[in-house]
Amino acid sequence: MKGTIVACLALILLGACASSRAFNADASAATGACQQRSTEVFAISGEIDRDLAECVRQTFADTTRVLALDTKGGSVEAALDIATVIEGRDLTMRVEGECNSACANYFLPLARRIELAPDAVVLLHGGVDPWTIDRWRSRQDEFMAIEAQRGQTPEQAQAAFERFMSAAEATAARQAAFAQRHSIPPGWLLYRTPGSEVVQGLAHGPDAVVASLVEEPMMRSCLTGVEIMPFQGALQRHWTRSHRRIALLWQRIGPSGRAVCTS
């Protein structure tokens, strides 16, 4: 359990614990990459990290009209850096494999149009909200104990924890400003407040899951300014009504079902 907690704490700038890596166990897919496929098509794949953000910054062409996506997510900070490059460009975003975690949080709301390949998925597990910050702060003793096992003095461990929390709070503030700037509803980011696991602005959300497989009703209700090409039928054939659903349930990943954004 402690190893899991430390991993989750360390992932604040790399995404959240409920990643979808079990969808594809190919380790090579974790390496982030970007490519200007043509004058109009730009592709992002693999893990979202600082190197990928720099790749996008240096490579993305102003002539781009289509953003092809296949990523399980990654760093919140890196994703927000990429978002500053692609925002305001009225892109068609084409999910070729996966657009999960930070990809779904910060890229898809910026699209003019969203298309999903027949076998594609979008997975949400939430962003860096006040509930998450409060929970991390409450686990300081566990953080300190593991730092002690690593040979850190109490003073060093305390300083490391405060640095971590300062970075977390800065990231939460940056996410909040981004959401406000682009009118992203709290339900899409699975926004929660301290002391309650109730997602703000989301009705009929699935219970007891660590991540939600986004279905068409939820996407349409949350991203109201985006043209969304129909994908529910393909999602049911390939995921929610196939043998793959068992694998999702084992990971506590549930279809969004009747979940819809209410504001």
Side-chain angles (χ1 to χ4, degrees):
M1 175 63 74
K2 287 184 177 180
T4 300
I5 292 167
V6 168
C8 292
L9 288 171
L11 283 170
I12 180 173
L13 302 182
L14 297 175
C17 306
S19 174
S20 63
R21 297 197 180 281
F23 279 130
N24 183 349
D26 181 2
S28 65
T31 301
C34 77
Q35 178 188 18
Q36 190 73 47
R37 291 180 180 171
S38 70
T39 57
E40 293 194 347
V41 180
F42 190 86
I44 289 175
S45 61
E47 183 172 349
I48 299 171
D49 57 16
R50 184 180 303 173
D51 290 342
L52 178 61
E54 183 63 18
C55 177
V56 174
R57 189 186 69 80
Q58 294 188 15
T59 310
F60 189 91
D62 289 340
T63 55
T64 300
R65 297 293 177 266
V66 176
L67 180 61
L69 297 165
D70 186 8
T71 168
K72 297 175 175 64
S75 165
V76 174
E77 288 291 329
L80 289 170
D81 288 343
I82 292 171
T84 64
V85 176
I86 64 176
E87 62 186 346
R89 295 182 181 271
D90 292 330
L91 298 171
T92 291
M93 297 194 187
R94 182 184 301 149
V95 182
E96 296 184 339
E98 303 174 51
C99 179
N100 303 338
S101 185
C103 174
N105 285 352
Y106 313 118
F107 299 169
L108 295 187
L110 303 179
R112 176 187 65 81
R113 173 186 173 111
I114 295 174
E115 304 172 351
L116 271 68
D119 202 29
V121 292
V122 173
L123 189 73
L124 290 174
H125 58 63
V128 186
D129 58 15
W131 181 91
T132 303
I133 296 294
D134 185 65
R135 190 176 186 188
W136 281 332
R137 177 68 73 178
S138 72
R139 294 189 170 186
Q140 179 176 357
D141 289 346
E142 295 166 73
F143 184 99
M144 299 283 286
I146 296 167
E147 287 295 293
Q149 292 175 5
R150 295 178 56 244
Q152 301 295 299
T153 66
E155 292 77 15
Q156 290 171 326
Q158 180 66 35
F161 183 75
E162 291 305 326
R163 286 194 301 271
F164 169 80
M165 290 306 307
S166 177
E169 289 163 358
T171 299
R174 188 180 180 192
Q175 174 186 282
F178 175 82
Q180 182 176 30
R181 187 164 70 250
H182 295 288
S183 301
I184 302 172
W188 183 253
L189 296 172
L190 305 184
Y191 187 92
R192 298 159 297 178
T193 56
S196 173
E197 294 195 33
V198 175
V199 174
Q200 303 295 304
L202 187 70
H204 312 301
D207 295 326
V209 298
V210 297
S212 292
L213 183 68
V214 177
E215 298 188 73
E216 197 172 316
M218 180 178 180
M219 186 179 290
R220 289 190 182 280
S221 70
C222 295
L223 307 182
T224 56
V226 181
E227 179 185 4
I228 298 167
M229 298 305 294
F231 65 89
Q232 186 68 22
L235 189 69
Q236 290 174 343
R237 287 192 300 274
H238 292 281
W239 290 98
T240 62
R241 295 182 182 175
S242 78
H243 65 280
R244 287 173 164 176
R245 179 161 185 169
I246 298 174
L248 297 179
L249 293 175
W250 276 108
Q251 299 169 79
R252 293 179 61 203
I253 297 172
S256 61
R258 297 168 54 234
V260 292
C261 284
T262 57
S263 62

